Amino acid sequence: MPKLRVGIVGAGIMGRGHAEVLSAHPDAEITAVARRPLDAAPRAAVYPGYRELLDSGTVDAVSITTPDHLHADVMVAAAEAGVHILVEKPFTTTVEDADRSVAAIRQAGVTAMCLFNHRWVPAYAQAKQQMELVGEPVVGYARKDDTIHVPTEMIGWADRTTCAWFLSSHDIDLVTWLYDDHVVEVFATARHGKLRGMGIDTPDAMQIQARFSRGAVATFESAWIYPNTFPTMVDSYITVAGESGVIQLDRQKENIQLATEKSYTYPRNMLQRVVHGIPAGAYRDAIHHFVDCVRTGAEPLVSVESSRHVTAVLAAAHESARTGRPVPCS
């Protein structure tokens, strides 16, 4: 089979990450990028926008790494052009956008996947295999908190998303997958203050209580005001208790500690790392899974319907935080 021709829409941090992984894949090549060049794709044609890229006829698939709120229009246009879709999380930031994206994807028959890469973290994948030993899920807790570097320096559009969209989307996908269930109702609270005082109108933290269809519950915590002196950029922890056991997953330390004259840190390597010059980790494995699915016609591990459900849970959570009342998931 010829190599999969991929276009990248979004040239920020995630766009560069996708480009590095895809450029190292033996069965893929980056043939086009939108708006500006990427170092990992020096021979790719540069188009002024995603529509020009899709109209060029030079891509079989598109990798969408734009800010959260801009995913849907690109997905719909790509599906209508018959182009396969890999999109960064979250799938979309409104249920309406999710529904029109899913409809366009299914009508076109293209392969599409939201990059919920945590399903490829070895410990999380092992947890999924061990869930039958834990028994029927009862209660879960997921924390994903970032340092303040993320909303103030790493991304320039923090005021157009929230810590929950940016962080808890991963955990909601993961826990619903572990539970093999779906959320029916949420109650959420949000705290504003520190970031608003810095001119960034987004919550400092959110907490979401979710009730699942079979009666289990889970709490999803997100925040992005940790001090930059914290030893990792993200503090990530999950526990799932069932009727017969419990699984705990702590990713704060990932098998390496680094002390210098300036800091003491736990370098991250589960998601992204480079081994002897070759990209590796769950992030790479998830992207390679998508490429393999396009080439073989297999259904991706992460369906667009399950990704739409994550959007619905988060949309309900933000409505609950606004009104102070429980909100059903649509």
Side-chain angles (χ1 to χ4, degrees):
M1 294 176 64
K3 288 189 175 184
L4 182 71
R5 302 174 301 165
V6 183
I8 296 182
V9 179
I13 292 172
M14 303 314 294
R16 294 193 294 272
H18 282 226
E20 289 169 1
V21 171
L22 288 164
S23 64
H25 195 297
D27 297 321
E29 60 179 334
I30 302 170
T31 55
V33 298
R35 298 192 64 183
R36 60 179 183 268
L38 289 168
D39 291 341
R43 291 188 292 274
V46 181
Y47 295 92
Y50 70 88
R51 293 192 181 278
E52 291 85 353
L53 183 151
L54 292 170
D55 290 342
S56 70
T58 62
V59 300
D60 307 307
V62 65
S63 174
I64 303 169
T65 61
T66 59
D68 297 353
H69 60 291
L70 300 178
H71 292 171
D73 287 345
V74 189
M75 282 195 285
V76 171
E80 291 175 345
V83 171
H84 305 290
I85 299 161
L86 177 66
V87 61
E88 264 296 338
K89 58 78 196 169
F91 188 59
T92 65
T93 55
T94 70
V95 174
E96 293 77 14
D97 277 348
D99 285 342
R100 66 189 181 94
S101 298
V102 171
I105 288 164
R106 291 312 185 200
Q107 182 174 353
V110 297
T111 298
M113 188 180 93
C114 187
L115 194 63
F116 284 119
N117 54 63
H118 285 26
R119 297 197 193 190
W120 281 265
V121 172
Y124 294 166
Q126 185 179 16
K128 176 64 173 177
Q129 295 171 348
Q130 300 299 319
M131 281 299 295
E132 63 180 20
L133 300 178
V134 174
E136 181 65 16
V138 175
V139 63
Y141 170 73
R143 176 182 71 237
K144 195 170 259 79
D145 296 340
D146 271 350
T147 62
I148 201 166
H149 166 81
V150 174
T152 60
E153 299 179 63
M154 193 179 91
I155 62 173
W157 38 273
D159 60 340
R160 284 165 285 176
T161 189
T162 67
C163 49
W165 284 114
F166 195 74
L167 296 167
S168 291
S169 54
H170 270 307
D171 291 341
I172 293 167
D173 174 74
L174 190 63
V175 172
T176 55
W177 182 54
L178 293 176
Y179 279 16
D180 193 23
D181 200 358
H182 63 279
V183 177
V184 294
E185 185 180 66
V186 298
F187 177 75
T189 53
R191 193 270 190 184
H192 294 78
K194 186 174 181 67
L195 290 170
R196 273 185 176 171
M198 300 173 71
I200 304 172
D201 190 12
T202 192
D204 297 336
M206 288 189 68
Q207 194 168 64
I208 303 166
Q209 279 75 49
R211 181 169 59 86
F212 287 75
S213 71
R214 299 199 307 272
V217 294
T219 298
F220 300 98
E221 172 192 313
S222 61
W224 47 7
I225 57 166
Y226 273 31
N228 289 330
T229 53
F230 197 74
T232 59
M233 186 180 294
V234 60
D235 177 21
S236 183
Y237 174 85
I238 288 178
T239 183
V240 173
E243 293 180 349
S244 305
V246 61
I247 291 175
Q248 294 185 337
L249 303 157
D250 189 346
R251 281 188 49 232
Q252 187 180 117
K253 298 178 182 179
E254 296 185 353
N255 301 318
I256 182 172
Q257 301 174 56
L258 175 64
T260 69
E261 294 178 348
K262 295 182 177 180
S263 65
Y264 182 72
T265 61
Y266 306 135
R268 309 311 295 268
N269 56 63
M270 293 288 188
L271 294 183
Q272 291 175 281
R273 61 184 181 271
V274 176
V275 180
H276 309 307
I278 300 173
Y283 185 78
R284 173 260 192 199
D285 293 345
I287 293 175
H288 280 216
H289 172 75
F290 167 76
V291 172
D292 293 343
C293 287
V294 171
R295 289 172 59 81
T296 64
E299 187 68 21
L301 176 63
V302 182
S303 73
V304 292
E305 287 79 12
S306 70
S307 300
R308 184 262 183 209
H309 180 63
V310 174
T311 292
V313 172
L314 283 163
H318 286 80
E319 177 66 10
S320 176
R322 185 186 68 83
T323 63
R325 297 192 299 269
V327 174
C329 291
S330 60

